[in-house]
Amino acid sequence: DAGVTQSPTHLIKTRGQQVTLRCSPKSGHDTVSWYQQALGQGPQFIFQYYEEEERQRGNFPDRFSGHQFPNYSSELNVNALLLGDSALYLCASIRDRNTEAFFGQGTRLTVV
Amino acid sequence: RKEVEQDPGPFNVPEGATVAFNCTYSNSASQSFFWYRQDCRKEPKLLMSVYSSGNEDGRFTAQLNRASQYISLLIRDSKLSDSATYLCVVPSRGYALNFGKGTSLLVTP
């Protein structure tokens, strides 16, 4: 049973560029959430996708957008990258609300 | 008040010691609570779920006090391999999980 998989694992981008991160949820899970974890902080909720729609959004600017595909996989897009966007981006999938979330290994994004 | 607050640590304890972490939360409607473990530069992994007053799994015990909106995690007989950051997680009123900043534990020989 494959867990949550994310790609790429590491990425270096220049300020102002755009980036796309990808996530495949755990088998049997149809809900995907994205989190940003800055160094020394807990993960912060970006948004959640369910049935190919953004169901809830955290306190992140419109530069952060996403998509969910019919096979439940998801993408996170960040436009006009800032140095402050450097973080570990985690994808999590769940089966039902308020149950445990399973995380991918994350994508470590460095903006220079 | 932040949604989830934890002791930041770091906690430095010798092998075999008992250590407890505290967590307070603001969403009084939460019915489930989680402790996740995160190793350096890795993804968080579920350690324990708490749906009632508490849960025990081997050396790990989680206790919930709904009246005080307080969760604790107790680790007995600490091992070197317990060194990690422990994240307290409380579901929001929506669909998000609210994480504390994490408590860092270092178990020394």
Side-chain angles (χ1 to χ4, degrees), chain A residues 38-102:
Chain A
L39 198 61
Q41 303 294 316
Q44 297 293 311
F45 176 75
I46 303 174
F47 41 53
Q48 184 181 89
Y49 276 85
Y50 173 69
E51 292 188 343
E52 302 179 51
E53 297 285 334
E54 182 184 287
R55 181 155 69 175
Q56 184 179 349
R57 187 180 185 89
N59 188 26
F60 279 80
D62 291 345
R63 299 186 297 110
F64 289 77
S65 63
H67 189 77
Q68 186 178 35
F69 299 94
N71 67 353
Y72 308 125
S73 67
S74 177
E75 288 182 349
L76 164 65
N77 300 292
V78 187
N79 294 323
L81 285 166
L82 304 173
L83 296 179
D85 294 332
S86 296
L88 179 67
Y89 288 85
L90 294 161
C91 171
S93 72
I94 61 172
R95 180 175 49 82
D96 296 307
R97 186 180 176 183
N98 293 332
T99 60
E100 68 171 290
F102 291 82

Side-chain angles (χ1 to χ4, degrees), chain B residues 6-97:
Chain B
Q6 295 184 242
D7 294 337
F11 284 66
N12 292 340
V13 302
E15 269 186 295
T18 295
V19 62
F21 306 140
N22 301 320
C23 172
T24 57
Y25 61 93
S26 61
N27 179 14
S28 58
S30 290
Q31 296 297 311
S32 55
F33 307 86
F34 307 98
W35 283 100
Y36 277 76
R37 171 194 168 126
Q38 187 173 29
D39 293 295
C40 187
R41 303 177 74 84
K42 298 286 184 64
E43 75 273 23
K45 292 184 178 178
L46 182 70
L47 179 66
M48 297 189 77
S49 303
V50 185
Y51 296 102
S52 58
S53 60
N55 194 8
E56 183 170 334
D57 183 6
R59 298 183 293 109
F60 299 85
T61 300
Q63 291 189 321
L64 170 64
N65 183 322
R66 290 186 187 274
S68 301
Q69 294 179 213
Y70 168 96
I71 315 159
S72 65
L73 177 67
L74 182 77
I75 305 176
R76 291 180 297 276
D77 188 22
S78 297
K79 312 291 185 190
L80 296 177
S81 58
D82 293 334
S83 298
T85 296
Y86 292 83
L87 296 162
C88 176
V89 183
V90 181
S92 70
R93 287 184 172 83
Y95 298 95
L97 293 177

